[in-house]
Amino acid sequence: MSSIWPAPQPPCSSTGGLSRPGYTRDEQAPRWTPPLLHCPLPRAARTPRKRWGTRTKPRPPRPGPMLVLAELGRRQRSALKLLCRLTAGAVLATPGGRLPHGDIVGRLPGQVVRTAGGGRLLVRRPSLEEYVLLMARGAAIAYPKDVSAMLMMMDLHPGDTVLESGSGSGAMSLFLSRAVGSKGRVVSYDIREDHHNLAKKNYRQWRASWEIGHMEEWPDNVDFILKDITTAAEDMKSVTFDAVILDMLKPQAALPVIYPSLKHGGVCAVYLAKITF
């Protein structure tokens, strides 16, 4: 498979004075692994790339959320994970010392860097599980171990249409988005505006970071709707859902609304992180 990334070029200064050394195919990193943050090439060096006959212009360079894993020592047998978005001139504060983002820019994922205090940090990209655990949150999230069980119960496949009630911080929405794929659709309702906005922000931030270093874009297949699902009966008359997941305090109130739109044999999963009395 040929690399979509350009050949090594002289360091540039388009990131506020932060330069990026080039890398070659002889390095130990896989050929498809891009640098954490790349800078635009001179106009004469840019070449259009072909992706299955569509989109010949390269994407503009954008920093994505990168996960920094700080090893605290073998004796402690623990590690600290910090999630940050690379920004020119910014500094990452860790227990082992401060690390300018400029020392991360241009390095390959999986390399170890040293902070000003001598601490060792492993810099790499976050997995989806790590991202949802470290991203900003307002409401309590559905944890990956619970999400995995519910996805298995609902038996989701690429191309399915899923209804979610309770967007929260967007954790479940991201896992559902990956499960149904680019041909599927997720409709996510939330009654609170702050949760609705945060879920959209976390979802968009993950999609933007995914574009850096992957051949295919993360599917834009989630519709976030700010509305009480108990009043959305008219919206669902012409929709059939393969599965429904309810993450709300009173899920029984939504059953009369969602039941007519759930296909025969479809699964309605209810997530109750806590029970109120």
Side-chain angles (χ1 to χ4, degrees), residues 12-259:
C12 66
S13 57
S14 61
T15 55
L18 304 178
S19 62
R20 173 183 69 84
Y23 63 96
T24 66
R25 297 182 178 179
D26 296 332
E27 294 179 355
Q28 296 180 356
R31 290 170 57 186
W32 52 264
T33 305
L36 298 182
L37 179 64
H38 65 283
C39 52
L41 296 174
R43 183 172 299 275
R46 298 180 184 176
T47 55
R49 62 183 182 185
K50 295 182 178 180
R51 288 179 38 184
W52 302 101
T54 60
R55 192 173 184 173
T56 58
K57 294 183 179 180
R59 297 191 189 98
R62 286 183 296 181
M66 305 307 302
L67 185 68
V68 177
L69 180 63
E71 299 289 349
L72 302 182
R74 296 182 179 179
R75 294 183 179 180
Q76 293 175 300
R77 294 183 180 179
S78 60
L80 175 65
K81 296 182 179 181
L82 300 175
L83 188 68
C84 69
R85 178 180 288 273
L86 293 180
T87 306
V91 176
L92 176 65
T94 73
R98 295 165 64 84
L99 177 67
H101 287 195
D103 293 348
I104 303 175
V105 174
R107 294 180 179 271
L108 296 174
Q111 291 187 333
V112 177
V113 298
R114 286 190 176 274
T115 65
R120 293 166 57 87
L121 297 178
L122 175 65
V123 181
R124 60 182 177 85
R125 299 181 184 277
S127 65
L128 180 57
E129 177 185 4
E130 292 165 330
Y131 176 74
V132 299
L133 291 176
L134 297 172
M135 68 184 184
R137 66 175 73 173
I141 66 170
Y143 282 85
K145 61 181 181 63
D146 298 327
V147 173
S148 299
M150 287 186 286
L151 292 179
M152 293 296 293
M153 291 170 56
M154 292 185 288
D155 194 26
L156 294 181
H157 297 84
D160 285 350
T161 301
V162 184
L163 172 66
E164 176 191 20
S165 178
S167 304
S169 300
M172 177 64 74
S173 305
L174 279 165
F175 284 106
L176 292 174
S177 173
R178 183 171 66 177
V180 301
S182 57
K183 295 183 179 180
R185 177 61 53 182
V186 178
V187 182
S188 181
Y189 281 83
D190 204 290
I191 194 174
R192 290 184 51 168
E193 185 175 3
D194 55 341
H195 292 174
H196 168 77
N197 293 333
L198 182 57
K200 289 197 300 183
K201 179 181 177 180
N202 286 334
Y203 176 72
R204 291 170 180 170
Q205 180 173 266
W206 174 257
R207 289 193 69 242
S209 67
W210 180 265
E211 291 184 9
I212 303 176
H214 293 85
M215 293 290 292
E216 299 295 333
E217 296 182 1
W218 187 274
D220 185 12
N221 57 0
V222 181
D223 296 325
F224 292 98
I225 301 176
L226 179 60
K227 190 174 185 178
D228 187 351
I229 194 173
T230 59
T231 64
E234 290 294 327
D235 303 343
M236 302 181 189
K237 283 187 175 180
S238 59
V239 183
T240 300
F241 296 103
D242 297 284
V244 175
I245 180 165
L246 304 177
D247 184 2
M248 49 193 296
L249 291 178
K250 297 180 179 180
Q252 64 273 17
L255 294 179
V257 177
I258 59 99
Y259 177 75

